[in-house]
Amino acid sequence: MKIREAVKEDMPQVLELIKELAVFEKEPDAVEISVADLEREGFGENPLFTCFVAESENGIVGAALIYFRFSTWKGRTLHLEDLIVQESERGKGIGEALYKEVMQFAYDRGLKRVAWDVLDWNTGAIRFYERSGADILKTWRVVHMDEKGLKNYIEKSSVK
């Protein structure tokens, strides 16, 4: 198994991993993104993300998708959007290898923070992150505004 930076041609397999993650996270119908979206947004003139893949003789069996953020306290930081390992390949160190690649990427660039979300019921991931030295913040809440909420808010708050 080797970890490498993804190329555009990997996006069909990366999308399959994203869909598998959605099933694992009990949101099987939530994925709206397409291969074309991933190719355009990750490999266009101004790429919005970087993706690392874990490749074995079985093809791509894991992925980590990251992008830069800006913190008013820390400056440039990194967000780990997803770290995915195919269910049949879990427990083989693939997730840890992808995680290390992400942390090395941040460290090599002198970043002061890597942030990500983890579901409160994903105890295996939480234990792994805590063992690695990451802090699981108990006092912060993740806030999302979905497409419908955004539309409703803008329509209600717009001056007509």
Side-chain angles (χ1 to χ4, degrees):
M1 191 253 327
K2 83 174 186 181
I3 305 295
R4 64 172 173 79
E5 195 165 326
V7 295
K8 189 176 185 178
E9 293 74 24
D10 295 327
M11 292 304 101
Q13 289 178 283
V14 169
L15 181 58
E16 289 308 309
L17 288 169
I18 291 168
K19 290 176 179 177
E20 186 174 327
L21 178 65
V23 170
F24 174 77
E25 292 185 350
K26 301 173 177 58
E27 293 282 344
D29 301 319
V31 178
E32 297 178 11
I33 199 161
S34 68
V35 169
D37 295 328
L38 290 168
E39 291 173 347
R40 180 181 61 255
E41 302 296 3
F43 300 92
E45 192 173 313
N46 296 303
L48 296 179
F49 66 85
T50 297
C51 183
F52 296 106
V53 294
E55 189 172 41
S56 75
E57 61 279 352
N58 299 327
I60 293 173
V61 296
L65 194 142
I66 58 175
Y67 57 88
F68 290 107
R69 291 169 57 172
F70 186 82
S71 164
T72 55
W73 291 6
K74 303 292 182 188
R76 191 178 218 196
T77 65
L78 194 68
H79 183 80
L80 171 57
E81 178 64 21
D82 284 321
L83 193 154
I84 314 160
V85 176
Q86 266 182 357
E87 185 175 8
S88 62
E89 299 294 319
R90 292 184 191 144
K92 298 178 181 178
I94 296 167
E96 187 168 3
L98 285 163
Y99 182 81
K100 183 175 186 219
E101 188 73 23
V102 169
M103 298 307 150
Q104 189 70 54
F105 180 92
Y107 181 80
D108 290 347
R109 286 155 182 77
L111 303 181
K112 295 184 175 143
R113 179 189 297 152
V114 179
W116 63 95
D117 303 325
V118 61
L119 291 164
D120 63 355
W121 54 261
N122 193 348
T123 56
I126 291 168
R127 282 193 305 271
F128 170 77
Y129 296 143
E130 288 174 333
R131 279 193 314 270
S132 79
D135 294 320
I136 309 292
L137 304 178
K138 308 283 192 236
T139 57
W140 286 80
R141 300 285 181 161
V142 176
V143 180
H144 288 180
M145 172 89 70
D146 67 11
E147 185 179 21
K148 182 180 176 186
L150 183 60
K151 180 180 184 293
N152 289 341
Y153 175 76
I154 292 302
E155 288 176 354
K156 277 194 331 191
S157 65
S158 294
V159 177
K160 298 193 181 194

